[in-house]
Amino acid sequence: MENIAEEVLKGNRLALAKAITAIENEYDNATEIMQKLYPHTGHAYVLGVTGPPGAGKSTLTDKLAKEYRRQGKTVGIIAIDPSSPFSGGAILGDRIRMNSLTLDPGVFIRSMGTRGSLGGLSHKTADAVKVMDAFGMDVIFVETVGVGQSEVDIVKAADTTMVVLIPGMGDDIQAIKAGILEIGDIFTINKADHDGADKLATELNMMLDLDGVIKDWRPPIMKTIANQNIGIKEVVETFGKHHKHIEENGQLTVRRTERTKNEMLDLLDSRIGQYIRSKVVDTGKLDELVAVIKAHETDPYTEANKIVHDLLK
Amino acid sequence: MDKIKVLVAKPGLDGHDRGAKVVARALRDAGFEVVYTGLRQTPEQIAEAAVQEDVDVVAMSILSGAHPHLFPAVVNLVREKGLKDALIIGGGVIPESDIPALKEAGIAEVFTPGTPTGKVVDFIKAHVKK
């Protein structure tokens, strides 16, 4: 397809799909597409949905998306599932919970494998968000892989982050550990009809009580039964409240500035890395160096400094 | 990093998807990214999911006997929506005598019960347009 970026801006769904593929697979036209789309980004509100496997993130996202559709908003969904570290393959199964959204012209769902990224997203998630943003989606959900305790990249990608938990996953020591429990702007206890939901809410509240600094936003603890559509409206309202709150106190600007800074640094790292690799690996110089380093004639630190000094001056 | 992306889909009203899951797993182990959409999908849903995911391959499975109607319907919708090059294959409980007509309708290959999963993987690798 020619003129992918122009077609995305015209609202062509196939072009939107092709643009994300180009970015994900690092095709030659990927940078050009992003350059053309970037001026049209910054309008969508990005919602992060994270939590352990089986918590109901996809089902919840499906129901929340429908609530936004009832309000007339268009919705993009990026659903990430893990790639196998052995074969590189992946089963991307989040769509199973979202089939009734497939034919809605105001919704676009894209599944992505993590492809080696360990933070709960894929390396190209942020760019895929931008493509959906430029396409004109009002709200974009980013659903992470099922996370354990430390996959927290979502906070860097989302404006508001929701951590989805379910009852029965451990005692209250789990609640004071670091990691995903520190990143929630909103906590949602899904499957709230199961035993232990109230206990979990109490434990989360106690954890929040221990926060030393007095914050102007205490993450609310919501309860949902997503597959019965219970508690959904309330979560959407809470997203709205948090959006308004961080818009008014300037946090939204801070978060987005931080994101731009991180993305710029990531891009620089990757461009410089590619450049150095093209000069060192592709020319065979690396193999020569490895031989002398292994013979202890020199050391990797000296050689790395030398290469950087020579190539980047 | 160019990965082969496959949509595994179950059109129609089959009650179980054991076979589709076995194939999905084999494709994953072959290094493909496999989008699975679950049971009871309409041809419209399958074609639209194929577009949104921009897959290279649509692999359908049917047990109920509705393949003469549903397989060609998916082919037409996928092509109409602009995925001109996607490889479309089918499998399931399909009588030999039905296969020529399905191929005529644009199904590149039909895999019947007993096919080793490796054969499906090899066929995709040999025929996918990347």
Side-chain angles (χ1 to χ4, degrees), chain A residues 2-63:
Chain A
E2 304 275 315
N3 304 324
I4 290 183
E6 286 81 354
E7 289 296 317
V8 168
L9 295 173
K10 277 189 221 157
N12 180 334
R13 294 168 74 82
L14 184 62
L16 172 53
K18 294 278 178 199
I20 297 175
T21 305
I23 288 153
E24 211 180 8
N25 290 341
E26 298 179 332
Y27 291 159
D28 291 341
N29 58 353
T31 301
E32 187 200 329
I33 291 171
M34 289 314 299
Q35 285 167 330
K36 286 183 180 162
L37 293 180
Y38 194 83
H40 304 274
T41 60
H43 307 290
Y45 197 76
V46 185
L47 296 168
V49 180
T50 191
K57 295 181 293 299
S58 303
T59 307
L60 205 50
T61 300
D62 174 65
K63 299 295 190 284

Side-chain angles (χ1 to χ4, degrees), chain A residues 13-14 17-18 21 25 27 87-93 95-96 99 102-103 107-111 113 115, chain B residues 1-3 5 24 28-29 31-37 41 44-45 48-49 51-54 81-82 130:
Chain A
R13 294 168 74 82
L14 184 62
K18 294 278 178 199
T21 305
N25 290 341
Y27 291 159
S87 71
I91 300 281
L92 310 174
R95 288 191 82 98
I96 298 178
N99 277 320
T102 301
L103 293 177
V107 176
F108 193 100
I109 307 168
R110 181 63 175 243
S111 317
R115 297 194 182 184
Chain B
M1 248 198 342
D2 218 351
K3 278 214 183 294
K5 194 167 181 182
R28 185 202 85 177
D29 290 341
F32 302 167
E33 287 185 338
V34 183
V35 180
Y36 183 51
T37 53
Q41 298 298 296
E44 287 78 9
Q45 282 174 313
E48 180 58 29
V51 167
Q52 291 179 17
E53 300 290 349
D54 190 23
K81 285 174 180 281
K130 256 291 177 191

Side-chain angles (χ1 to χ4, degrees), chain B residues 4-101:
Chain B
I4 295 173
K5 194 167 181 182
V6 186
L7 178 73
V8 172
K10 290 281 301 173
L13 300 174
D14 291 344
H16 80 77
D17 56 354
R18 181 82 192 137
K21 282 177 181 152
V22 169
V23 171
R25 171 66 195 267
L27 299 181
R28 185 202 85 177
D29 290 341
F32 302 167
E33 287 185 338
V34 183
V35 180
Y36 183 51
T37 53
L39 287 164
R40 289 183 284 279
Q41 298 298 296
T42 65
E44 287 78 9
Q45 282 174 313
I46 292 168
E48 180 58 29
V51 167
Q52 291 179 17
E53 300 290 349
D54 190 23
V55 291
D56 307 298
V57 184
V58 178
M60 288 180 283
S61 150
I62 289 193
L63 311 173
S64 68
H67 52 273
H69 170 64
L70 292 172
F71 279 2
V74 172
V75 174
N76 293 337
L77 284 163
V78 166
R79 300 292 181 231
E80 248 171 55
K81 285 174 180 281
L83 282 185
K84 306 270 183 246
D85 293 334
L87 180 70
I88 306 181
I89 57 178
V93 185
I94 293 163
E96 286 292 329
S97 55
D98 288 352
I99 293 177

Side-chain angles (χ1 to χ4, degrees), chain A residues 49-225:
Chain A
V49 180
T50 191
K57 295 181 293 299
S58 303
T59 307
L60 205 50
T61 300
D62 174 65
K63 299 295 190 284
L64 293 167
K66 286 194 180 104
E67 182 58 29
Y68 278 108
R69 291 297 293 140
R70 267 190 281 279
Q71 299 178 7
K73 300 250 174 49
T74 52
V75 179
I77 299 171
I78 297 169
I80 298 140
D81 265 330
S83 300
S84 161
F86 304 108
S87 71
I91 300 281
L92 310 174
D94 293 322
R95 288 191 82 98
I96 298 178
R97 322 290 170 201
M98 307 178 189
N99 277 320
S100 59
L101 290 172
T102 301
L103 293 177
D104 182 338
V107 176
F108 193 100
I109 307 168
R110 181 63 175 243
S111 317
M112 297 176 96
T114 51
R115 297 194 182 184
S117 175
L118 295 174
L121 303 178
S122 79
H123 292 299
K124 303 297 177 182
T125 303
D127 283 346
V129 167
K130 289 197 193 80
V131 178
M132 286 195 177
D133 184 353
F135 181 82
M137 292 308 187
D138 298 319
V139 177
I140 298 168
F141 283 93
V142 177
E143 185 195 327
T144 72
V145 302
V147 300
Q149 294 172 319
S150 62
E151 298 94 330
V152 295
D153 281 359
I154 187 66
V155 274
K156 294 184 216 154
D159 295 319
T160 294
T161 298
M162 173 171 74
V163 174
V164 184
L165 298 165
I166 41 173
M169 292 197 64
D171 65 9
D172 53 1
I173 194 68
Q174 301 301 335
I176 58 172
K177 288 188 182 171
I180 63 161
L181 291 179
E182 290 179 285
I183 64 168
D185 297 309
I186 297 167
F187 289 101
T188 294
I189 300 174
N190 191 35
K191 308 187 188 182
D193 51 339
H194 290 200
D195 279 351
D198 290 335
K199 185 166 168 274
L200 177 57
T202 309
E203 286 163 2
L204 285 170
N205 264 317
M206 283 172 60
M207 171 195 83
L208 294 171
D209 289 341
L210 289 174
D211 276 353
V213 266
I214 296 167
K215 294 178 181 163
D216 54 358
W217 174 268
R218 182 185 168 102
I221 297 165
M222 314 296 295
K223 285 184 185 161
T224 55
I225 309 170

